Amino acid sequence: MTLRFPIDQLQKYQRKAIQIDETLMPETSLKQRYPQLIGASAFQVTGTLQAEGEGWRSRLQVSGQLTVPSTRSLAPVALPLDLRIDELYLDQELAVAELEEDEATPTESNEDIIIPIVNGEIDLASAIEDNLLLAIPTQIYTPAEAAGEALPTGEGWEVLSEADFAAAAAAQANQPNPEFAKLKLLLDQQAQATDQPDDQEDESKE
């Protein structure tokens, strides 16, 4: 069984739920959409696809693992995922109308994730890939980085965490500029030299 279902073929199922138990290999497709991805395991997909109202509802459990770069050091990080996906597929016109109604009158009852049916088929594979990409955190750390261990360094360089970088920038902003300090000292010396003849002249008059 595939994870793409033409609507004309779904009609024969009428109200009967379609049982899904498939293995999805999303690595190639995901890398095209998310070039930073290092790798992806096979993902096990189980659940149902069943007619509901004027559309079709998918209820899926998706489990597997992505390998993504650390946002701090770019080292590979294993990211296990176990997602529950519940989406309602509607004809494009119905989907647009439903989305507009939800935006106009938001309530707890219209929290369905609505997906327009494109090209006359329900593409669960693409929907699963969308959810996998959305599940990648914005901040990703290796176990050692998450535990706060020292960051990698080299000759003339070092990796700073965001917090350390912000602290260093603040400290540098508050630190006096040595060039300005030299200039101030020079101006003070010139002012003293300018004042000195006047003082001597006053003493001679006395």
Side-chain angles (χ1 to χ4, degrees):
M1 182 180 293
T2 179
L3 289 170
R4 291 179 171 83
F5 300 87
I7 293 299
D8 56 356
Q9 294 183 16
L10 286 175
Q11 301 305 325
K12 65 181 181 181
Y13 288 93
Q14 298 180 357
R15 312 306 296 181
K16 183 179 178 182
I18 301 172
Q19 299 296 322
I20 296 172
D21 188 354
E22 293 290 319
T23 300
L24 179 65
M25 307 292 292
E27 181 172 311
T28 300
S29 181
L30 288 177
K31 283 184 174 180
Q32 292 175 350
R33 302 175 59 184
Y34 186 73
Q36 303 95 312
L37 183 71
I38 297 173
S41 71
F43 277 78
Q44 189 63 33
V45 182
T46 58
T48 59
L49 178 64
Q50 186 172 18
E52 180 177 310
E54 297 181 87
W56 292 81
R57 178 167 307 269
S58 67
R59 291 186 174 92
L60 305 175
Q61 196 73 33
V62 180
S63 58
Q65 179 173 289
L66 300 179
T67 303
V68 291
S70 162
T71 50
R72 177 178 293 176
S73 64
L74 301 182
V77 179
L79 181 64
L81 295 176
D82 190 6
L83 307 180
R84 181 170 179 79
I85 302 173
D86 189 333
E87 297 173 331
L88 180 63
Y89 289 81
L90 295 173
D91 177 80
Q92 288 198 40
E93 292 184 2
L94 289 173
V96 171
E98 188 75 20
L99 290 170
E100 290 177 347
E101 181 180 348
D102 289 353
E103 291 179 357
T105 57
T107 65
E108 292 184 1
S109 62
N110 57 21
E111 292 180 349
D112 275 330
I113 299 176
I114 298 174
I115 310 295
I117 297 174
V118 180
N119 298 328
E121 72 172 10
I122 293 175
D123 186 354
L124 295 182
S126 293
I128 292 168
E129 291 175 6
D130 291 342
N131 281 273
L132 293 177
L133 293 176
L134 290 172
I136 299 175
T138 55
Q139 299 291 328
I140 304 164
Y141 302 118
T142 66
E145 291 166 351
E149 295 184 10
L151 298 176
T153 61
E155 185 176 353
W157 64 271
E158 63 177 332
V159 177
L160 294 178
S161 67
E162 290 184 6
D164 290 341
F165 178 80
Q172 185 174 4
N174 295 328
Q175 184 177 1
N177 188 317
E179 297 302 321
F180 284 137
K182 292 178 183 177
L183 178 60
K184 184 176 183 302
L185 178 60
L186 179 61
L187 292 175
D188 290 342
Q189 292 173 345
Q190 289 178 345
Q192 291 175 2
T194 303
D195 293 340
Q196 188 172 1
D198 294 338
D199 294 340
Q200 293 176 351
E201 182 178 351
D202 292 339
E203 291 175 359
S204 64
K205 288 181 179 179
E206 293 175 358

